[in-house]
Amino acid sequence: MPTFAHFFETLLESYPVFFEGLWLTIRVTFVSVLIAVFIGLFFALFKISQSKILNWIANVYIAVIRGTPLIVQIFIFYFGLTEFNIPKFWAASIGLALHNGAYIAEIFRGSIQSIDKGQMEAGRSLGMSHTLAMRRIILPQAFRRALPPLGNQFIIGLKDSSLAAFIALPELFSVATTQGARTFDEMTYLLIVAVYYLVLVLIFTLLVNLLEKRLSASD
Amino acid sequence: MVEKSEMIRVEKLNKSFGDLHVLKDIDLEVNESDVVVLIGASGSGKSTLLRCMNFLEIKNSGNVIIEGETIDPEKNDLNKVRQRVGMVFQHFNLFPHKSVLENVIEAPLTVKKTKRAQAEKEGKELLAKVGLGDKANVYPNKLSGGQKQRVAIARALAMKPDIMLFDEPTSALDPELVGEVLSTMKELAKEGMTMVVVTHEMGFAREVGDWVVYMHDGKIVEKGHPKELFSEPKEQRTQDFLSSIL
């Protein structure tokens, strides 16, 4: 075990290389979760649709994505689909987006179905079409209700982005392994990267809580 | 007497939920400016009948004719039909993420494409009319049940419907709040609005109703003017029902 003084010293000295990895981790996470929210919304609407075909498509997508490891999905985009020559950043982002999209689809489906059916009836009784009432009445309420589990999924996505180290994307975790291998001081760098992730997660938890409070003020 | 035009006609209407036959060969007509009050025990089908009139429930057989037009749910644009038939619900169903005024102007803005300034002006007038002119920017969770229901009435009126349906509008209210909603409805009746009201408020039925319709077990047992129906019901079942609640 490294001494605390050594750990602390290395933490302070190593920040330039870690900050580069940190920035990449944040970018991959935001890009992938943003895409995942759109994917999730579409598949949630597929799942609650009257159309059996759309239900089936959504069910297959969710079953396949949830039934296979994320690392396999990321490898398929980077090592599998070589003919497309997908850059590392995008292979990781698309893999994470498709993966989180399946979970977010279930989050949205649950929150949409949790809205009282009187809301849709009120909209329809005023002459709104199903689509219009969904867009103007149901989804804004469902989105608010989905916020806590979405925040949770964001944090899972943030931590899962460390898997991109295995396609040699120089994000946060890969900085730690590279530095550890270079200096033979693995434990110190692993502890440092753990601190980075922990602080990131705590900051995002705080932001999500603040956002929730602001949104619930009008409820 | 001037012949009033027919607003709603229901012919041989049948509706089932699975094995449960809720409406059995219902015939009913509602003329212009009529206030028709549907009474009966819960489960008698009165709410279902009301919901068939704006197609929130779709009949199994029979006809629903709105202002002379036989509505085929497969062919007619129900969104257009519903703009003519407003509805007020037992549980208000206000949009909690929108302010009172936004609730009222939502459908005029998005369905009728009314200009915002115009919609807001009319919305504020309607709110003033139901006695809530000062609540335009408040969110529904800050209102009492009676206030919520009056906003719901204003919201339905904002589409300028020809007919208003009320589905037990006071059943979810604390007793002391029932009066304010009933007096708003009374005002509306006085202005000549055609209204179909499902309610347990016999005082309202007696005072405001032009017709009272007693339903039992999916059928219309008796229809009459309130004075006659309440004081001299012709059918034994109507007598039994009235004596059980009055």
Side-chain angles (χ1 to χ4, degrees), chain B residues 170 173-186 201:
Chain B
T170 58
L173 297 179
D174 290 336
E176 75 271 19
L177 302 176
V178 169
E180 61 189 70
V181 172
L182 291 182
S183 64
T184 302
M185 291 166 63
K186 224 180 284 177
E201 293 294 326

Side-chain angles (χ1 to χ4, degrees), chain B residues 39-59:
Chain B
I39 62 171
S42 41
S44 59
K46 50 199 194 311
S47 281
T48 306
L49 174 57
L50 197 73
R51 291 163 60 84
C52 283
M53 292 177 183
N54 74 344
F55 308 91
L56 285 181
E57 302 293 350
I58 303 296
K59 51 157 188 158

Side-chain angles (χ1 to χ4, degrees), chain B residues 81-107:
Chain B
V81 178
R82 291 194 186 107
Q83 292 175 38
R84 289 185 269 151
V85 189
M87 188 168 209
V88 172
F89 298 87
Q90 181 178 358
H91 295 289
F92 330 124
N93 299 348
L94 293 182
F95 308 134
H97 59 304
K98 292 181 182 292
S99 73
V100 164
L101 183 62
E102 287 169 339
N103 263 273
V104 174
I105 65 175
E106 174 65 22

Side-chain angles (χ1 to χ4, degrees), chain B residues 27-128:
Chain B
D27 290 302
L28 182 68
E29 51 181 89
V30 180
N31 290 324
E32 194 180 352
S33 300
D34 275 358
V35 176
V36 175
V37 181
L38 303 179
I39 62 171
S42 41
S44 59
K46 50 199 194 311
S47 281
T48 306
L49 174 57
L50 197 73
R51 291 163 60 84
C52 283
M53 292 177 183
N54 74 344
F55 308 91
L56 285 181
E57 302 293 350
I58 303 296
K59 51 157 188 158
N60 294 108
S61 67
N63 288 319
V64 180
I65 302 157
I66 305 289
E67 297 177 291
E69 184 186 3
T70 306
I71 305 297
D72 180 347
E74 303 281 314
K75 295 203 182 85
N76 285 85
D77 182 356
L78 294 182
N79 300 328
K80 282 261 165 11
V81 178
R82 291 194 186 107
Q83 292 175 38
R84 289 185 269 151
V85 189
M87 188 168 209
V88 172
F89 298 87
Q90 181 178 358
H91 295 289
F92 330 124
N93 299 348
L94 293 182
F95 308 134
H97 59 304
K98 292 181 182 292
S99 73
V100 164
L101 183 62
E102 287 169 339
N103 263 273
V104 174
I105 65 175
E106 174 65 22
L109 285 181
T110 61
V111 179
K112 279 198 171 159
K113 313 280 185 202
T114 310
K115 292 268 177 297
R116 177 168 278 275
Q118 175 72 11
E120 284 187 355
K121 182 173 158 282
E122 292 177 4
K124 282 176 185 161
E125 283 166 10
L126 281 168
L127 285 173

Side-chain angles (χ1 to χ4, degrees), chain A residues 43-119:
Chain A
F43 281 101
L45 293 173
F46 281 14
K47 248 201 122 156
I48 59 171
S49 144
Q50 306 280 340
S51 155
K52 288 269 183 293
I53 301 167
L54 292 184
N55 297 161
W56 184 84
I57 292 173
N59 286 334
V60 168
Y61 169 72
I62 291 169
V64 168
I65 293 293
R66 292 210 299 193
T68 54
L70 173 56
I71 189 73
V72 176
Q73 294 159 13
I74 293 175
F75 270 39
I76 284 175
F77 281 101
Y78 189 65
F79 295 117
L81 299 169
T82 43
E83 57 269 53
F84 293 104
N85 213 357
I86 303 171
K88 287 170 189 167
F89 177 85
W90 286 105
S93 296
I94 296 169
L96 277 162
L98 286 175
H99 187 81
N100 285 313
Y103 290 90
I104 291 175
E106 287 290 7
I107 291 172
F108 277 140
R109 181 194 57 78
S111 70
I112 291 169
Q113 287 177 337
S114 77
I115 304 297
D116 181 68
K117 75 179 188 4
Q119 291 289 308

